[in-house]
DNA sequence: AATAAAACTGATTCATCAGTCAGCTTAACT
DNA sequence: AGTTAAGCTGACTGATGAATCAGTTTTATT
């Protein structure tokens, strides 16, 4: 792996686990096995490094989801919804550094003044909401999902799933222990209640 | 107001809006209209100041909820659940600094090594979950709420509501715009589906 | 082999910040 | 009025951290 990629990978992990302001460039350098000045050769500033990290995370998330939905087919919109939620939780476990990073405050703070950062975050969250929305719309077409506003309901579902991941990241409650109840709640919330399955 | 309380109030606001590590003691001092050394006269360290802030927030939250449930009575468990959710959202708006603080990462980081911090956070989240759980149990007794595990379902509901507040705090989506859908989702999720109202 | 460009680094700079301390001011009590 | 303690402060310290820069090493090209 090139030095630049090595630095990016290390920085992602450190920013995610310890936070942006809590991580010094010297730490990133040491953990990457390079001199501090080397980081500044590859990245203009600490913020620039952060934006590259975030861009990488975005690419990773979009890639993972497009791959999952490229391979998988679903019997109904409701199943697609459940699959999406499950995959979100799976990803939050296997690529926890991505979600830890997104559950810190720094990205959103930076987004207030930085167009690029704002766009990355929008892309990521639109990806999430779009997927849930698509499942809801498809479910309404095939009759597995009841009548409800798809975009806003997708946002409510995202906040539920995202909230559970946050609980895990903050050591408040284990996400795995809530998996069955989460799926049950989402099913009741979305399923077409006139048509018993 | 005593100087000490003035400092606490200012620190709460600054830690909430800018973050703990992003706020210097000099800033807190200036915004409180005292000398930096004065803060160290009243508080042993920056962490000690933070713990006092968190303790204050805890007292405020517990007080607000006990007051709300002391005044209000509900026709059914389902109505109590909806009332609780509404009050949570109302509080997250009127006392946004409390919830901003709780949506930062520092408290949870500190909780890993600090018993007092951990206890404060547990008290706060137990307060939230207990309220939702109590509503669910009551609703199951009066028939307004269906059969579901109350504690875990309460946690799922908390993550939904908390997730929506986080979206608002991160400027991702307006909580108010999702209010109706949130209530609708929670109703479908919890309501006794055999007994149409 | 010579040359140029790219990659990398040690040493340094300048700013910031948590925390200290010696001494000053105010309030309370006798 | 005198005494004491609590409240408060300006000036300082030592540590840390982002960023710079002059110079060295490596790589690619001719």
């Amino acid at each position: 792996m090139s030095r630049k990629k090595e630095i990016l990978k290390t920085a992602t992990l450190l920013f995610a686990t310890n936070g942006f302001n809590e991580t010094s460039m010297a730490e990133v350098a040491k953990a990457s096995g390079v001199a501090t000045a080397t980081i500044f050769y590859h990245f203009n500033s600490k913020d620039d490094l952060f934006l590259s990290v975030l861009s990488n995370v975005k690419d990773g998330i979009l890639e993972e989801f497009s791959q999952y939905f490229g391979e998988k087919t679903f019997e109904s919109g409701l199943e697609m919804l459940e699959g999406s939620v499950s995959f979100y939780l799976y990803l939050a476990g296997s690529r926890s550094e991505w979600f830890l990073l997104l559950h810190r405050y720094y990205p959103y703070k930076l987004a207030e003044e930085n167009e690029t950062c704002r766009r990355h975050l929008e892309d990521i969250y639109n990806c999430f909401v779009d997927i849930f929305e698509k499942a809801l719309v498809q479910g309404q077409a095939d009759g597995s999902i009841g009548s409800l506003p798809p975009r806003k309901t997708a946002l409510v579902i995202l906040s539920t799933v995202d909230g559970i991941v946050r609980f895990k990241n903050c050591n408040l409650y284990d996400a795995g222990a809530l998996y069955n109840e989460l799926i049950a709640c989402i099913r009741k919330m979305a399923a077409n209640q006139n048509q018993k399955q």
Side-chain angles (χ1 to χ4, degrees), chain A residues 3 34-35 37-38 41-42:
Chain A
R3 297 259 226 185
V34 301
T38 306
Y41 171 74
H42 289 292

Coordinates of all heavy atoms in Angstrom, one line a residue, chain A residues 3 34-35 37-38 41-42, chain C residues 6-12:
Chain A
R3 N 2.2 5.0 0.8 CA 2.3 5.7 2.0 C 1.1 6.5 2.3 O 0.5 6.6 3.4 CB 3.5 6.7 2.0 CG 4.8 5.9 1.8 CD 5.5 5.8 3.2 NE 6.9 6.2 3.0 CZ 7.8 6.1 4.1 NH1 7.3 5.7 5.2 NH2 9.0 6.4 3.9
V34 N 5.5 7.0 9.6 CA 6.2 8.1 8.8 C 6.5 9.3 9.6 O 6.0 9.3 10.8 CB 5.3 8.5 7.6 CG1 5.0 7.4 6.7 CG2 4.0 9.2 8.1
A35 N 7.2 10.2 9.1 CA 7.5 11.5 9.9 C 6.3 12.4 9.8 O 5.5 12.3 8.8 CB 8.7 12.1 9.3
A37 N 6.1 15.5 9.1 CA 6.1 16.3 7.9 C 5.7 15.6 6.6 O 5.2 16.3 5.7 CB 7.6 16.9 7.7
T38 N 5.8 14.3 6.6 CA 5.4 13.5 5.5 C 3.9 13.7 5.2 O 3.4 13.7 4.1 CB 5.7 12.0 5.6 OG1 7.1 11.9 5.9 CG2 5.4 11.2 4.4
Y41 N 3.2 16.7 3.5 CA 3.6 16.6 2.1 C 2.4 16.1 1.3 O 2.1 16.6 0.2 CB 4.8 15.7 1.9 CG 5.1 15.5 0.5 CD1 5.7 16.4 -0.3 CD2 4.8 14.2 -0.1 CE1 6.0 16.2 -1.7 CE2 5.1 14.0 -1.4 CZ 5.6 15.0 -2.2 OH 5.9 14.8 -3.6
H42 N 1.7 15.1 1.8 CA 0.6 14.5 1.1 C -0.8 15.3 1.3 O -1.6 15.2 0.4 CB 0.4 13.1 1.5 CG 1.5 12.2 1.1 ND1 1.6 11.8 -0.3 CD2 2.4 11.5 1.7 CE1 2.7 11.0 -0.4 NE2 3.2 10.8 0.8
Chain C
dA6 P 7.3 16.3 -10.3 OP1 6.2 16.2 -11.2 OP2 7.6 17.5 -9.5 O5' 7.1 15.1 -9.2 C5' 7.4 13.8 -9.6 C4' 7.7 13.0 -8.3 O4' 9.0 13.3 -7.8 C3' 6.8 13.3 -7.1 O3' 6.2 12.0 -6.7 C2' 7.7 13.9 -6.1 C1' 9.0 13.4 -6.4 N9 10.2 14.2 -6.1 C8 10.4 15.5 -6.3 N7 11.5 16.0 -5.9 C5 12.1 14.9 -5.2 C6 13.3 14.8 -4.5 N6 14.2 15.8 -4.4 N1 13.6 13.6 -4.0 C2 12.7 12.6 -4.2 N3 11.5 12.6 -4.8 C4 11.3 13.8 -5.3
dA7 P 5.3 11.9 -5.4 OP1 4.4 10.7 -5.6 OP2 4.8 13.3 -5.1 O5' 6.3 11.5 -4.3 C5' 7.1 10.3 -4.4 C4' 7.9 10.1 -3.1 O4' 8.9 11.1 -3.1 C3' 7.1 10.2 -1.9 O3' 7.4 9.1 -1.1 C2' 7.6 11.5 -1.2 C1' 9.0 11.6 -1.8 N9 9.6 13.0 -1.9 C8 9.0 14.1 -2.5 N7 9.7 15.1 -2.5 C5 10.9 14.7 -1.9 C6 12.1 15.4 -1.5 N6 12.3 16.7 -1.8 N1 13.1 14.7 -0.9 C2 12.8 13.4 -0.6 N3 11.8 12.7 -0.9 C4 10.8 13.4 -1.5
dC8 P 6.6 8.9 0.4 OP1 6.6 7.5 0.7 OP2 5.4 9.7 0.4 O5' 7.7 9.6 1.4 C5' 9.0 9.1 1.4 C4' 9.9 10.0 2.3 O4' 10.0 11.3 1.6 C3' 9.3 10.3 3.7 O3' 10.1 9.6 4.6 C2' 9.6 11.8 3.8 C1' 10.4 12.2 2.6 N1 10.3 13.6 2.1 C2 11.4 14.5 2.3 O2 12.4 14.1 2.9 N3 11.2 15.8 1.8 C4 10.1 16.1 1.2 N4 10.1 17.4 0.7 C5 9.0 15.2 1.0 C6 9.2 14.0 1.4
dT9 P 9.7 9.5 6.1 OP1 10.1 8.2 6.7 OP2 8.3 10.0 6.3 O5' 10.6 10.7 6.7 C5' 12.1 10.5 6.5 C4' 12.7 11.8 7.1 O4' 12.5 12.9 6.3 C3' 12.3 12.1 8.5 O3' 13.4 12.0 9.4 C2' 11.8 13.6 8.4 C1' 12.4 14.0 7.1 N1 11.7 15.1 6.4 C2 12.2 16.3 6.2 O2 13.3 16.6 6.6 N3 11.4 17.2 5.4 C4 10.2 17.0 4.9 O4 9.6 17.8 4.3 C5 9.6 15.7 5.2 C7 8.3 15.3 4.7 C6 10.4 14.8 5.9
dG10 P 13.2 11.8 10.9 OP1 13.8 10.5 11.3 OP2 11.8 12.2 11.3 O5' 14.2 13.0 11.5 C5' 15.4 13.2 10.8 C4' 16.0 14.5 11.3 O4' 15.4 15.7 10.6 C3' 15.8 14.8 12.8 O3' 17.0 15.5 13.2 C2' 14.6 15.7 12.8 C1' 14.6 16.5 11.5 N9 13.3 16.6 10.9 C8 12.2 15.8 10.9 N7 11.2 16.2 10.3 C5 11.6 17.4 9.7 C6 10.9 18.3 8.9 O6 9.8 18.3 8.4 N1 11.7 19.4 8.5 C2 13.0 19.6 9.0 N2 13.6 20.7 8.5 N3 13.7 18.8 9.7 C4 12.9 17.7 10.1
dA11 P 17.1 16.0 14.7 OP1 18.5 16.0 15.1 OP2 16.0 15.4 15.5 O5' 16.7 17.6 14.5 C5' 17.3 18.3 13.4 C4' 16.8 19.7 13.4 O4' 15.5 19.8 12.7 C3' 16.6 20.3 14.8 O3' 17.1 21.6 14.9 C2' 15.1 20.3 15.0 C1' 14.6 20.5 13.6 N9 13.3 19.9 13.3 C8 12.7 18.7 13.7 N7 11.5 18.5 13.3 C5 11.2 19.5 12.5 C6 10.1 19.9 11.7 N6 9.0 19.1 11.7 N1 10.1 21.0 11.0 C2 11.2 21.8 11.1 N3 12.4 21.6 11.8 C4 12.3 20.4 12.5
dT12 P 17.0 22.5 16.2 OP1 18.2 23.2 16.4 OP2 16.5 21.6 17.3 O5' 15.8 23.5 15.9 C5' 15.8 24.1 14.5 C4' 14.5 24.8 14.3 O4' 13.4 23.8 14.0 C3' 14.0 25.6 15.5 O3' 14.0 27.0 15.1 C2' 12.6 25.1 15.8 C1' 12.2 24.4 14.5 N1 11.2 23.3 14.7 C2 10.1 23.3 13.9 O2 9.8 24.3 13.2 N3 9.2 22.3 14.1 C4 9.4 21.2 15.0 O4 8.6 20.3 15.1 C5 10.6 21.2 15.7 C7 10.9 20.0 16.6 C6 11.5 22.2 15.5

